[in-house]
Each structure stands twice: as structure tokens, then as C-alpha cells.
Amino acid sequence: MEEWYHYVLLIATGFAVGFINTVAGGGSLLSLPVLIFLGLPSSVANGTNRVAIVIQTAIGTAGFKSKGVSTAPFNIYLGISALLGAIIGAQIAVDIKGETFNRILAIIMIVVVLIILFKPKMKLVEMEERLTGKYLWIGIIAFFFFGIYGGFINAGLGFIIILFLHYVNRMTLVRSNATKVAVVFIYTLSALAVFVWNDKVNWTIGLILAIGNGTGAWIASRVSVNKGDGFIKTFIVVMVVALSIKLWFFQA
């Protein structure tokens, strides 16, 4: 942070990341390289990014709720499960580099976009939400493993969460998005705690980045509710393609 434009770069990056993460996912694939560019070691960049994510998701959740979109207590159950997994993932991230995971994630992203583009249409009666019973337990188990990856690096997980909630729990994309943002807020708290415990957080940079993240998240939460599922679907497809290309050909 030796130059004035570093502050501008952080806030502008944060705004883009907050918007992208709230509408779809994958924003950390933009913020992490910027943090490393500013001189942070990769593990510290990973931890510092969580400061902005916590603030971003807290504001995003408030934004959705202000528009009348909330899935509590379902999102809390999933969040607690993911929180436990995130402790494991963050501890792994402190010591282990995930160099080959980028290409694996790129393949996953391509699968995601294929599912979005070629998914069978659901009849209206089939879209009744399934948030209790065995579907709740399936979600709790799945989100424990989502939490492990979220604690490890988090980048790109939003796409998977949205699709899981949409197809398994039959939520609309808007409600899936609202649930995702709340769950990420909950599990990122534990991941951040692990990074803080291991002295892997630069608070000054993290809080400056968070100014942009929070602003982008607030705007995105309200835009996505107003625009509806069609806007979110288009945005997800564009971001998945762009991030898959970045992951495969341009390794950080």
C-alpha cells in the first residue's frame, strides 16, 4: 500500500467482487490476485480476503431481507453445518497450497454452465420448496463439505451452492441467492477466526477492500431481487465462462 492508487484499486476491486459474489459467485478469483499483487503472501491474501467477505455477506443478507427475501431458519441450519466444515478447510489452507485445484475447479465451472443451459424445465407444481425432512438433512450433510472447500479458498463455491439449492431444495434463484449469502456469512466467521489465530490477516487491507465489497453486495442484493431469476441466470452463465477460462489458462 505504498501508492495512493492502491487504495482506489482495492475499493474498485471490492465493489466488483461484492457484486459478483452476491449475484452469482467466483469474485474471490478477482480479489485474491489483486491482494497478491499488492505484496501479500498467498496465505495472508486468502485470510485477508475473508474480512471483506464477512462484511460483504452481512450487508448482502441485510439487503435481501430489506426486500423481503429471507429463508431463516433453513439458512441457519445449513450455515452451522458449513461453519464446522470451514474450520477444517481454513486450517488446511493455512499450510497447504492448492495449485492444481484451479484446473479442477475450471472443469466444475464448465459442468455448472452446461447444467444451467441444458437443464430440464420444471413444472410450476414441482417448484414447491423442499426445506424439511430428508431434504434438510441432505442439505446439512452437503453443506458441511461445501464448508470445507469454502474455508479452504471459497472461490467459485457460490455457483455450486446456488445450483444445489435450486435443484435439490427447489428454491427460486433469488431465494437460493439469499440463502447462499447468509450461509457464506456464517461459515466465513469460523474460517476468518482460523486465519486470525494463525496470524494470516492484514486488517488494514482487508477493511479497505471491505468498503468496496459491502457497497457492491448491497446494490447487487437489491438488483437481483428486482430483476428476478432471468437476470441471475444470465449473469451466472457469463461469469462461469469467464472464470473457467481464467482458471484454466491463467494460473495465479
Side-chain angles (χ1 to χ4, degrees):
M1 300 292 290
E2 298 177 354
E3 303 290 344
W4 65 269
Y5 64 83
H6 289 170
Y7 295 90
V8 177
L9 175 63
L10 269 180
I11 294 175
T13 299
F15 180 86
V17 169
F19 192 97
I20 291 169
N21 278 344
T22 304
V23 176
S28 292
L29 297 172
L30 174 62
S31 56
L32 287 175
V34 170
L35 292 173
I36 293 171
F37 166 77
L38 292 175
L40 297 183
S42 58
S43 59
V44 177
N46 197 359
T48 300
N49 191 48
R50 307 312 174 100
V51 177
I53 291 176
V54 166
I55 294 176
Q56 160 205 301
T57 50
I59 292 176
T61 299
F64 278 114
K65 191 170 184 179
S66 73
K67 283 289 189 176
V69 182
S70 175
T71 59
F74 178 71
N75 55 10
I76 297 175
Y77 299 145
L78 300 186
I80 293 173
S81 178
L83 180 148
L84 298 175
I87 295 173
I88 299 172
Q91 191 59 56
I92 294 172
V94 168
D95 302 313
I96 297 178
K97 296 180 180 179
E99 296 176 355
T100 60
F101 199 84
N102 276 358
R103 289 192 171 179
I104 296 174
L105 185 57
I107 294 173
I108 293 174
M109 295 296 95
I110 292 298
V111 172
V112 169
V113 85
L114 290 175
I115 292 174
I116 292 173
L117 291 174
F118 299 107
K119 69 178 180 71
K121 293 183 178 180
M122 290 184 176
K123 296 178 181 179
L124 186 61
V125 67
E126 295 177 333
M127 285 301 296
E128 182 178 352
E129 289 185 348
R130 304 184 295 193
L131 308 183
T132 59
K134 69 175 183 180
Y135 295 102
L136 171 61
W137 285 106
I138 290 171
I140 288 174
I141 294 170
F143 273 77
F144 173 77
F145 293 100
F146 291 163
I148 293 177
Y149 175 68
F152 178 65
I153 193 171
N154 197 65
L157 181 59
F159 299 118
I160 308 302
I161 290 179
I162 289 173
L163 287 182
F164 181 91
L165 294 172
H166 186 57
Y167 288 103
V168 176
N169 300 108
R170 292 181 175 171
M171 288 179 150
T172 65
L173 290 179
V174 170
R175 285 176 59 79
S176 295
N177 237 348
T179 304
K180 174 206 70 180
V181 173
V183 169
V184 174
F185 167 71
I186 294 171
Y187 77 64
T188 303
L189 290 173
S190 65
L192 177 59
V194 172
F195 283 106
V196 170
W197 179 261
N198 288 276
D199 197 26
K200 299 293 184 181
V201 174
N202 184 310
W203 285 100
T204 300
I205 292 179
L207 290 171
I208 293 172
L209 180 67
I211 294 173
N213 277 58
T215 306
W218 178 260
I219 293 174
S221 63
R222 301 176 72 79
V223 168
S224 61
V225 173
N226 291 336
K227 296 292 185 180
D229 281 11
F231 169 78
I232 296 174
K233 176 180 176 180
T234 302
F235 195 91
I236 289 174
V237 171
V238 172
M239 289 308 305
V240 165
V241 172
L243 294 175
S244 297
I245 293 172
K246 190 273 179 189
L247 281 167
W248 188 266
F249 293 105
F250 303 98
Q251 300 295 307

